[in-house]
Amino acid sequence: MSEINTNQAYVAAADNQRNYTLPLAAMTTLFFLWGFITVMNDLLIPRLKAVFDLTYTEAMLIQFCFFGAYFIMSLPAGYLVKRFGYKKGVVSGLIIASTGCLLFYPAVAVHEYWLFLGALFVLASGVTILQVSANPYVAALGPAKTAPSRLNLAQALNSLGTTVGPIVGKFLLFGGSAALAVEAATADSVKVPYLFLAAALLTIAVVFAVLKLPEIKEHSEEHDCQAKGHSLTEAPHLVFGVLAIFCYVGGEVAIGSFFVNFLGEADIAGLAEHEAANYLAYYWGGAMVGRFIGSAALQKVAAHKALLFNACMTITLLLVTINTSGLVAMYAVIAIGLFNSIMFPTIFTLAIQSLSSLTSRGSGWLCLAIVGGALVPLLQGYAADTIGLQTSFYIPMVCYIFIAWYAMSLPKLLGKWQAKLGN
């Protein structure tokens, strides 16, 4: 009788594993989509800057409002997902994001910059809910040991979105000619791409509403006897993981933000802006390639060891970037994208490990830390104005040093949390 029960359990586990294929495929479309949406900001900035004759500081409010939504909405999103589940969180996020896209239409009609910023905030709020829902859900769809590998694969689709986004967005916003767009800048061109995005988001929301997704019972309080009664502040691997996500997003966005200006320096490559922008695709494309490689490598390599290796390589490349010139410095900063690749999904899965029913709230904390993308570039900008652009790359280097420390300390930090659960 016990043998029959064992066989039945094995078959049930195998069926459950097979059932993960469709949910994983569906969730990866979300990663692609929010990568596409996020990178569209890079094209929206020059478009609205020309339309409204903005200063650079005023134009940067686009990124500030977008990333600021993560800071404001992440914790409420975590409670929303905890209360209603991952599926309803995804559907809610898609509907809110589509509403933000639709708000671009009245913003164009009224021709007020603040309405564009408001639309971006609503759009980013929806994306925040998607992040809080999708990241831990993908991590949970399978064995815990391979969670970093799954999330890296999903994040590779996110990088694909950031690679495809500028190509499609440039055609939709500029009609394939950036030069003509500058000469005849009009906000009307913004309507079409965001109406397309709104339609796509609503369609996917309907699909997810009818799609049967497996429930992660271990993440609900009624099925959790360990984490219940504990708080997130007791989990040091999560607390320091939040800081690591802050440092990673801040460092990655800061390097990308100053990339074009850095290659324009006379002693680096002396490239014009439009020429340097072409190399930016290699920076983000490297992240995509690295995540596909990382997804396979993390099947065999411990996640915290892979994170430590990549952080050390990035620190080395930043030292080369700061202390050399010419093509050596140029290719060093480009190569950083490759080693940035696995960091976000790996930190994320390590930080939510063993949180059980606290997972959705922990995900909210981690998405809160994405605000680093708004703050670290500002700090590097101040450094660039005072000590020089090339030297200012010490700012993101400090971020990666902390990530390396987190990777080295992770086994001990996680052990402290697991010891508390065992008491």
Side-chain angles (χ1 to χ4, degrees):
M1 183 70 178
S2 60
E3 184 178 350
I4 294 175
N5 290 336
T6 301
N7 289 335
Q8 289 176 338
Y10 177 80
V11 171
D15 288 340
N16 192 39
Q17 184 64 31
R18 283 197 295 269
N19 289 338
Y20 287 159
T21 303
L22 179 60
L24 279 171
M27 298 305 287
T28 55
T29 64
L30 300 180
F31 285 79
F32 174 87
L33 204 57
W34 78 58
F36 186 97
I37 289 170
T38 302
V39 83
M40 283 288 289
N41 289 346
D42 294 337
L43 299 176
L44 194 63
I45 289 170
R47 164 56 72 195
L48 295 186
K49 185 179 185 298
V51 169
F52 292 102
D53 193 24
L54 304 172
T55 65
Y56 281 108
T57 302
E58 291 169 335
M60 285 302 112
L61 289 175
I62 291 173
Q63 295 285 33
F64 185 82
C65 286
F66 193 88
F67 284 103
Y70 283 93
F71 185 78
I72 295 172
M73 294 304 299
S74 288
L75 294 184
Y79 283 106
L80 172 72
V81 174
K82 183 179 176 65
R83 174 68 178 83
F84 297 105
Y86 293 115
K87 177 179 175 178
K88 291 181 179 177
V90 167
V91 174
S92 299
L94 287 166
I95 293 173
I96 293 171
S98 66
T99 302
C101 290
L102 289 173
L103 288 174
F104 275 81
Y105 193 91
V108 171
V110 178
H111 200 74
E112 289 288 345
Y113 183 49
W114 66 270
L115 282 176
F116 284 98
L117 297 178
L120 275 169
F121 181 85
V122 175
L123 170 58
S125 297
V127 173
T128 301
I129 298 173
L130 289 178
Q131 290 246 32
V132 172
S133 303
N135 282 306
Y137 189 72
V138 168
L141 287 176
K145 184 178 179 180
T146 56
S149 174
R150 284 192 302 280
L151 197 52
N152 266 284
L153 180 60
Q155 288 285 348
L157 271 294
N158 176 270
S159 295
L160 179 61
T162 63
T163 303
V164 173
I167 300 171
V168 178
K170 180 179 178 181
F171 177 78
L172 292 173
L173 285 176
F174 303 120
S177 174
L180 291 176
V182 173
E183 293 176 4
T186 169
D188 288 340
S189 62
V190 174
K191 289 191 299 186
V192 175
Y194 283 93
L195 287 176
F196 274 133
L197 281 174
L201 289 163
L202 285 173
T203 301
I204 296 173
V206 172
V207 171
F208 269 91
V210 299
L211 191 65
K212 290 184 178 180
L213 296 177
E215 181 184 354
I216 309 300
K217 294 182 178 180
E218 294 80 1
H219 290 185
S220 59
E221 288 187 352
E222 58 268 26
H223 292 86
D224 178 29
C225 298
Q226 283 191 310
K228 192 173 182 179
H230 292 276
S231 68
L232 292 175
T233 55
E234 297 178 62
H237 69 296
L238 171 71
V239 174
F240 287 108
V242 169
L243 293 176
I245 288 288
F246 179 95
C247 288
Y248 166 72
V249 177
E252 180 192 47
V253 173
I255 293 169
S257 297
F258 291 94
F259 185 93
V260 172
N261 295 94
F262 181 69
L263 296 194
E265 295 281 284
D267 59 340
I268 303 300
L271 298 177
E273 289 184 359
H274 68 280
E275 294 174 322
N278 293 328
Y279 288 93
L280 190 59
Y282 293 107
Y283 176 74
W284 294 111
M288 178 179 67
V289 172
R291 281 172 176 166
F292 280 117
I293 296 172
S295 179
L298 286 167
Q299 298 278 353
K300 298 181 179 180
V301 180
H304 71 281
K305 292 180 179 178
L307 179 63
L308 177 60
F309 173 79
N310 279 37
C312 289
M313 287 300 299
T314 303
I315 293 167
T316 301
L317 288 169
L318 279 168
L319 285 172
V320 174
T321 298
I322 294 166
N323 295 292
T324 62
S325 60
L327 292 179
V328 174
M330 173 180 167
Y331 287 115
V333 75
I334 291 173
I336 290 172
L338 178 65
F339 294 99
N340 267 337
S341 55
I342 69 161
M343 290 193 191
F344 182 92
T346 303
I347 295 170
F348 198 101
T349 50
L350 291 173
I352 62 173
Q353 192 171 338
S354 300
L355 290 184
S356 299
S357 62
L358 299 175
T359 299
S360 59
R361 287 174 56 199
S363 175
W365 279 31
L366 291 165
C367 288
L368 183 83
I370 293 175
V371 74
L375 301 180
V376 175
L378 286 177
L379 182 59
Q380 186 175 352
Y382 175 78
D385 289 334
T386 53
I387 61 176
L389 177 57
Q390 190 167 14
T391 309
S392 73
F393 280 90
Y394 277 115
I395 299 297
M397 193 178 82
V398 172
C399 294
Y400 289 104
I401 290 173
F402 179 82
I403 294 170
W405 173 85
Y406 178 71
M408 287 188 293
S409 306
L410 192 280
K412 182 185 293 185
L413 296 173
L414 181 59
K416 289 181 179 179
W417 168 248
Q418 292 174 335
K420 289 181 180 180
L421 294 181
N423 292 334

